[in-house]
Amino acid sequence: MKRAYNFNAGPSALPLAVLERAQKELLNFQQTGMSVMELSHRSKEYDAVHERAEMLLRKLMNIPDTHDVLFLQGGASLQFSMVPMNLLKEGEVGNYVLTDSWSDKAMKEAKKVGATHVAASSKEEQYTYIPTNIELSERPAYLHITSNNTIVGTQWREFPNVSVDLIADMSSDILSRDIDVSRFALIYAGAQKNLGPSGVTVVIIRKDLLAKGDDRLPTMLNYRTYSESRSLYNTPPTFAIYMLSLVLEWVDEQGGVQAIEKKNAEKAAILYRCIDESEGFYKGHAKKESRSHMNVTFTLPNEELTKKFLAEAKEKGLIGLAGHRSVGGCRASIYNAVDIEACEALVQFMDTFRKNIF
């Protein structure tokens, strides 16, 4: 079977080697006579999967002992609520940098819990850049950012240096580049872009923050519940965590995050070069200094050409290139599992399409 070139924004491409490994083990995981999906989450076989997933994530991201690793459900959208519920106390203010609709949604959820403040925003220019002038409120509880913005295609190149706890939604660029985890009080990420399939959400939280969770919080909305139970308080998304562990093994085999980061920069450069050399036929959404290495967004001269482009791309096996409905145009999501060959195939199609129009 010829596999498609998958540029979906999420759920997105998974490494072929991971899919083949999962296929091989699907019916009989480690001679148990059962699929990993059928194992008890209290079994020693699954426990080894769970432990390995955490161990590999700690290794690849160099997560210090000061931070705990949690496996949750509910996606990043649940974290929009859990963060303020656990960390925003009465008399404090949750500070947010608005760089896309996801960060805007995160702040809207926080408003239901307590006071919020816009510390910086690029909303007035349709989120086309990453703002750098951050103005914190009085009594800030934390500063929340979205490290990569999938809709318009912007990304923080340098993280803000602030005196308060820094929290990041890294759903769309976690594990794509080397970062200093110790700079962050909390990182959260839905798995379905760089970590694995949908269904599991990773939270990396500084351990001293766990005490902030109020005992009056619902049990399943308190980070301490997951920390004290090793994320096994109730049945976790076992298959998603198994797939996460396989993806982490794959990243390790590629040479780790540093090697992945180099490859991602190369993929992004290939696509942005095509856009920049198209004599205006393709126009990028994001300002150059804020361009994402994960989501390359661009427009064509008109809607008719965009529809034609997308239809012909699909015929060529180039899938998932439609832009988000809020901005239109096109978007190539080039997460870790999207290889250079896919980007080269897309660029070849883009060049041919443009030349055929003229």
Side-chain angles (χ1 to χ4, degrees):
M1 183 189 75
K2 179 176 174 57
R3 283 177 55 78
Y5 292 121
N6 185 351
F7 297 99
N8 277 311
S12 53
L14 286 166
L16 179 59
V18 167
L19 295 172
E20 290 174 336
R21 169 88 176 272
Q23 182 184 47
K24 182 179 179 181
E25 296 180 339
L26 186 63
L27 297 181
N28 186 13
F29 179 70
Q30 296 186 359
Q31 303 307 309
T32 60
M34 294 177 285
S35 170
V36 70
M37 289 185 283
E38 300 175 290
L39 295 175
S40 166
H41 64 292
R42 307 295 182 190
S43 68
K44 63 182 179 61
E45 290 86 0
Y46 173 73
D47 193 63
V49 171
H50 201 89
E51 287 283 345
R52 183 158 178 76
E54 178 179 343
M55 181 274 291
L56 284 168
L57 191 64
R58 284 189 175 279
K59 173 188 175 183
L60 290 167
M61 294 186 67
N62 194 25
I63 299 171
D65 291 338
T66 53
H67 288 61
D68 214 344
V69 175
L70 313 176
F71 298 129
L72 286 73
Q73 300 179 60
S77 294
L78 180 59
Q79 294 309 303
F80 297 165
S81 299
M82 282 187 72
V83 166
M85 290 176 78
N86 283 265
L87 305 181
L88 181 56
K89 300 303 180 184
E90 188 173 351
E92 297 178 335
V93 181
N95 282 242
Y96 287 76
V97 180
L98 304 184
T99 49
D100 70 347
S101 65
W102 300 116
S103 52
D104 195 19
K105 287 179 179 179
M107 192 179 76
K108 286 178 180 177
E109 292 304 306
K111 281 182 178 180
K112 299 175 183 178
V113 177
T116 61
H117 167 74
V118 178
S121 175
S122 56
K123 191 172 186 177
E124 78 285 352
E125 292 192 37
Q126 289 74 52
Y127 299 126
T128 55
Y129 70 97
I130 297 295
T132 55
N133 296 325
I134 294 173
E135 297 182 4
L136 296 174
S137 68
E138 294 183 2
R139 305 180 307 281
Y142 55 78
L143 178 69
H144 178 286
I145 66 170
T146 305
S147 60
N148 181 76
N149 306 288
T150 57
I151 294 175
V152 177
T154 61
Q155 187 177 29
W156 289 81
R157 301 257 63 88
E158 298 289 337
F159 295 116
N161 188 13
V162 290
S163 58
V164 296
D165 286 337
L166 183 60
I167 295 173
D169 174 359
M170 290 192 180
S171 293
S172 54
D173 68 346
I174 192 170
L175 217 67
S176 71
R177 53 176 169 165
D178 196 23
I179 65 166
D180 181 1
V181 173
S182 67
R183 290 186 59 188
F184 295 87
L186 189 149
I187 293 168
Y188 63 88
Q192 65 273 14
K193 301 176 190 295
N194 272 332
L195 294 176
S198 58
V200 62
T201 305
V202 169
V203 172
I204 303 168
I205 183 171
R206 207 175 63 225
K207 291 178 180 178
D208 64 286
L209 295 179
L210 294 168
K212 280 196 164 190
D214 196 313
D215 288 336
R216 292 172 296 179
L217 281 175
T219 302
M220 296 301 291
L221 296 176
N222 192 323
Y223 289 127
R224 198 159 60 241
T225 298
Y226 300 90
S227 176
E228 292 174 351
S229 65
R230 295 176 48 244
S231 303
L232 292 164
Y233 178 81
N234 69 330
T235 307
T238 55
F239 187 72
I241 293 172
Y242 159 73
M243 291 295 291
L244 166 65
S245 72
L246 296 189
V247 171
L248 295 176
E249 285 185 17
W250 175 81
V251 172
D252 200 26
E253 291 165 359
Q254 303 306 301
V257 175
Q258 292 81 6
I260 290 288
E261 180 176 15
K262 182 179 179 182
K263 179 182 171 184
N264 285 335
E266 183 179 350
K267 292 187 299 184
I270 289 171
L271 291 176
Y272 286 124
R273 189 180 307 117
C274 176
I275 292 169
D276 292 340
E277 294 178 356
S278 70
E279 299 178 342
F281 185 80
Y282 301 111
K283 293 182 179 179
H285 280 297
K287 295 186 178 180
K288 287 186 178 182
E289 66 274 11
S290 297
R291 282 174 164 175
S292 169
H293 284 185
M294 294 284 96
N295 308 95
V296 178
T297 59
F298 57 95
T299 61
L300 282 76
N302 56 57
E303 184 64 24
E304 183 181 349
L305 280 176
T306 301
K307 289 180 179 179
K308 180 178 175 62
F309 177 92
L310 293 171
E312 293 186 10
K314 187 174 182 179
E315 290 177 3
K316 299 289 186 181
L318 302 161
I319 305 300
L321 289 169
H324 190 271
R325 59 187 177 277
S326 64
V327 298
C330 301
R331 170 176 57 181
S333 296
I334 51 173
Y335 302 123
N336 290 354
V338 177
D339 57 26
I340 290 175
E341 178 190 350
C343 295
E344 290 174 340
L346 175 55
V347 163
Q348 183 178 9
F349 170 74
M350 291 171 69
D351 284 339
T352 301
F353 183 86
R354 178 173 64 91
K355 290 172 182 175
N356 286 343
I357 295 300
F358 295 108

